[in-house]
Amino acid sequence: MSRRKLIIGNWKMNNGPMEAHQFLHDLEDELKNEKIAKDVDFAIAAPFVALPFMIGHSHEEGKEAFYLPLAAQNFHYEEKGAFTGEISLDMLDQLGLEYLIIGHSERRQLFNETDEIVNKKLLAALKTQMTPVLAFGETESEFDANKTETVIKNQLTSSLKSVKENEMEKIVLAYEPIWAIGTGKTASPEQAQKAVAFARTVVAELFNSDIADKVIIQYGGSVKPENVKELMGQKDIDGALVGGASLDAKSFAKLITFDKQK
Ligand code: 13P
């Protein structure tokens, strides 16, 4: 089964409209002589305030607009109403976004998002045309205690509750071991492969093996140009969710053209 690769840069709370503008300009330059492989998809999950400035952006007159698919880092599962400071799915749909990150460990740990909230968000996202990217992964102490597989199974089972088979085909999964996020401590390609392959078996149990074969599962946690190729070479790893190394256009360009590396 050959699955496409999907590299998403998650900018977190970095790069406002001005930096995003510069990033697009620089990325266009970086990719001038570099073709992105046909089976590699990519996107940037920018802060809400930067997103409107990144749509259909073209720098040089007469030149085809450089198309950068976009993602949201967060949203509220309610349709509308008195939720001061929140952003709805319809608002994001109006911007033409392609992906929605759901269940990132920073949202779980710093903003108290439970599996139940993650599940509500996922079910709401599935009613839109946007592709949900569901993040999951264990903490350092769970990793040390050999609980990685139990955590993956529990998180996926509760986050994917009430999801139908035809809906699962729309979902992307992102395995992000918390101990590897922003720490420079990447999981070894073997560790990442093992956890991602296990997640695939959980999808097979919850749905079926055909869906499990097709689902795109990314790895995230200190992915950078120096390690991306080896990680992407693992049998079950279908892409990356990248924080720090996606902020700079040169580095992001290297990530999405990883297949060209010698
Ligand atoms: P880093 O790539 O900075 O470790 O962040 C990973 C991440 O959390 C992406 O969502």
Side-chain angles (χ1 to χ4, degrees), residues 9-143:
N10 175 12
W11 281 358
K12 309 187 179 183
M13 201 170 73
N14 299 288
N15 287 352
M18 289 205 275
E19 291 90 2
H21 185 270
Q22 186 62 45
F23 177 93
L24 285 166
H25 193 79
D26 295 345
L27 187 61
E28 214 169 58
D29 276 353
E30 290 297 327
L31 295 174
K32 232 176 222 154
N33 303 314
E34 204 63 274
K35 274 241 174 314
I36 298 164
K38 282 207 169 54
D39 59 352
V40 176
D41 295 320
F42 59 94
I44 288 287
F48 289 135
V49 291
L51 287 169
F53 294 89
M54 298 176 76
I55 295 161
H57 206 90
S58 178
H59 291 281
E60 290 166 43
E61 229 174 294
K63 201 176 155 208
E64 205 182 313
F66 173 75
Y67 182 64
L68 176 64
L70 297 170
Q73 300 174 18
N74 186 33
F75 60 88
H76 198 290
Y77 52 80
E78 292 289 351
E79 274 175 34
K80 58 165 122 175
F83 301 100
T84 302
E86 292 296 318
I87 299 285
S88 74
L89 284 163
D90 181 53
M91 294 171 193
L92 300 173
D93 217 7
Q94 288 180 33
L95 286 182
L97 301 196
E98 301 206 7
Y99 303 94
L100 303 160
I101 298 176
I102 302 175
H104 192 282
S105 61
E106 285 150 21
R107 300 251 15 123
R108 293 178 193 259
Q109 294 197 317
L110 307 172
F111 302 100
N112 305 322
E113 279 191 19
T114 58
D115 282 341
E116 194 190 342
I117 295 175
V118 170
N119 179 246
K120 278 189 178 170
K121 288 186 165 193
L122 183 64
L123 295 177
L126 285 167
K127 294 194 190 121
T128 73
Q129 293 302 308
M130 297 173 276
T131 300
V133 178
L134 175 66
F136 61 96
E138 79 285 3
T139 61
E140 182 149 40
S141 58
E142 288 164 341
F143 176 76

Side-chain angles (χ1 to χ4, degrees), residues 214-226:
K214 285 190 194 139
V215 66
I216 291 179
I217 311 184
Q218 300 176 304
Y219 164 77
S222 301
V223 176
K224 41 188 185 268
E226 297 77 40

Side-chain angles (χ1 to χ4, degrees), residues 190-209:
E190 295 74 28
Q191 274 165 348
Q193 159 61 26
K194 189 164 170 254
V196 168
F198 176 74
R200 211 176 282 290
T201 67
V202 175
V203 175
E205 274 172 35
L206 295 173
F207 298 89
N208 61 54
S209 57

